[in-house]
Amino acid sequence: MKIDSLNYNQLKVLLAVYKHGQGSLAAAELGISSCAVTRTLNALRDVFMDSLFVRKSNGLIPTQKTEELIPHAKLLVEQYQLLERQHSVFSPSQSGGHFVIRAYDEFVYAVHKVIDNYILPEAPNLRFDIRTLSHDCSNELIGGGVDFVVVYEGFDDTRLNYEIFSETGDIYILARKDHPILSESMSLEQLSHYPLLEIDNYNDLTCPLLVNLCRDNGLQMDVAGYTDSVATAMQILAESDNITLSCNQFTRKFVDMLPAVSYRRLSDNMIENIKEIRSEHRTVGNYILYGNINNSPAFNWVKSKLVYGLEREWRLAAAT
């Protein structure tokens, strides 16, 4: 074996191909071409005198030799990353990489805006895969398949790290423009007369907050349905007596562009009661979640930019 020719980049390619089982996905994660992944795998096969992966219909399957190598490769890469963090000079303009971000529908546009306005101007070689979060991807975060998740409060796994970018302040009722609830005196009893449309991303709550608050006060509120799409929710509201609850300034700003839907702030007392229901473990607000797999300078730089950018965009949205 020509072990003396082994290098850091080759080990990163080996781990990425092992994780994804596809050269194209490994290339996307590392910010290199598929051809570069192929060339690196060929060089690694020469080093270890083994095919390393066998191509099958379900992807690249690691050989026994690869299974034996992976623990050592992970340890070496961790040590290289430690050297990077402690002794290398990080330059965003020269940095490459691929980051996977999942976000509640209400946050997706804001995440795109932060990347376009705060990250890519300084780090044009970074790549991002941003999609709507539709399931609990905690295991993907922990395992490194997803880099960041942008969510409301509502997570319990101690293996996850989190940073808050905004606390929940105002909470609003959204309804069609001519809905009675937007003009009449607002009380829980009046709210309970209208069916609730819950914007629900992946069943983070066993019971909608407003329904829960009504029950605590001896009232019953019907649930009209659930949707994880803000656009769908707005269409349903515009054509029905349904109401929905929102604490998201980005959603409220979106509603400002819609002629058929409007909003109204809840009373201070109702807002405080809702916050009490949600604040059992931590501050009620909006968070960026991430795991412990990636501690590279580029990862930490992107994380800081996301926190700063989303916090600033939230303040701008709240001020309008």
Side-chain angles (χ1 to χ4, degrees):
M1 292 193 298
K2 296 177 285 187
I3 197 71
D4 59 333
S5 65
L6 193 62
N7 62 53
Y8 178 29
N9 288 329
Q10 289 174 331
L11 292 172
K12 289 195 294 184
V13 169
L14 178 66
L15 291 177
V17 174
Y18 180 79
K19 180 173 75 173
H20 294 291
Q22 293 185 33
S24 59
L25 293 178
E29 175 183 324
L30 298 172
I32 61 178
S33 68
S34 294
C35 291
V37 170
T38 300
R39 288 196 300 270
T40 302
L41 284 179
N42 288 335
L44 286 169
R45 289 176 178 120
D46 289 340
V47 169
F48 295 107
M49 295 185 293
D50 187 87
S51 62
L52 298 179
F53 296 93
V54 178
R55 185 176 297 279
K56 293 189 176 181
S57 59
N58 58 338
L60 297 173
I61 307 303
T63 64
Q64 180 61 38
K65 171 64 74 174
T66 300
E67 295 288 0
E68 295 170 358
L69 290 171
I70 289 301
H72 302 290
K74 286 181 177 179
L75 183 61
L76 288 169
V77 166
E78 287 172 1
Q79 294 303 310
Y80 274 116
Q81 289 175 340
L82 183 62
L83 283 173
E84 278 186 334
R85 292 196 301 274
Q86 294 183 350
H87 301 291
S88 66
V89 178
F90 173 66
S91 172
S93 63
Q94 301 299 315
S95 179
H98 179 267
F99 296 93
V100 176
I101 302 176
R102 299 291 178 259
Y104 282 168
D105 190 33
E106 301 93 315
F107 293 119
V108 170
Y109 174 75
V111 172
H112 275 284
K113 191 173 182 181
V114 168
I115 287 169
D116 289 342
N117 294 343
Y118 298 85
I119 294 178
L120 291 180
E122 295 185 53
N125 298 319
L126 295 181
R127 299 179 184 180
F128 295 89
D129 174 3
I130 308 160
R131 300 185 190 182
T132 301
L133 178 64
S134 59
H135 66 284
D136 185 346
C137 63
S138 297
N139 289 334
E140 294 163 78
L141 267 177
I142 294 164
V146 172
D147 294 293
F148 302 103
V149 170
V150 185
V151 293
Y152 303 128
E153 188 275 336
F155 44 91
D156 299 309
D157 200 308
T158 57
R159 294 170 295 176
L160 293 177
N161 305 300
Y162 58 86
E163 293 195 31
I164 189 170
F165 64 85
S166 64
E167 293 186 17
T168 294
D170 295 334
I171 302 178
Y172 305 90
I173 288 293
L174 278 56
R176 71 170 193 269
K177 207 82 169 184
D178 59 349
H179 198 293
I181 203 65
L182 298 179
S183 57
E184 62 189 23
S185 178
M186 186 183 293
S187 67
L188 263 184
E189 183 176 3
Q190 289 166 314
L191 288 173
S192 69
H193 294 160
Y194 302 103
L196 179 76
L197 174 67
E198 180 76 350
I199 302 177
D200 184 84
N201 297 86
Y202 63 82
N203 196 26
D204 146 78
L205 294 171
T206 56
C207 177
L209 287 170
L210 203 52
V211 173
N212 201 351
L213 188 58
C214 285
R215 288 177 180 173
D216 288 347
N217 287 270
L219 301 168
Q220 179 177 334
M221 171 177 271
D222 294 331
V223 179
Y226 297 81
T227 180
D228 60 2
S229 166
V230 172
T232 298
M234 295 307 108
Q235 289 179 293
I236 294 173
L237 292 179
E239 299 173 356
S240 70
D241 283 338
N242 295 347
I243 62 175
T244 195
L245 189 74
S246 176
C247 59
N248 192 295
Q249 295 294 348
F250 300 135
T251 301
R252 186 191 58 79
K253 190 173 181 181
F254 174 60
V255 171
D256 285 336
M257 299 186 292
L258 305 177
V261 181
S262 190
Y263 56 85
R264 183 180 179 184
R265 184 181 181 274
L266 286 179
S267 67
D268 290 339
N269 183 56
M270 282 189 277
I271 289 174
E272 290 307 312
N273 287 337
I274 287 174
K275 286 183 180 180
E276 285 180 11
I277 295 173
R278 279 299 257 167
S279 61
E280 295 179 3
H281 303 293
R282 59 183 67 84
T283 302
V284 180
N286 307 295
Y287 291 80
I288 293 177
L289 308 186
Y290 55 97
N292 295 314
I293 294 294
N294 194 339
N295 285 299
S296 68
F299 179 91
N300 290 321
W301 183 82
V302 168
K303 178 181 66 180
S304 68
K305 286 292 185 179
L306 283 173
V307 173
Y308 167 76
L310 286 170
E311 187 274 335
R312 188 169 189 274
E313 290 299 317
W314 182 274
R315 283 191 286 107
L316 291 173
T320 57

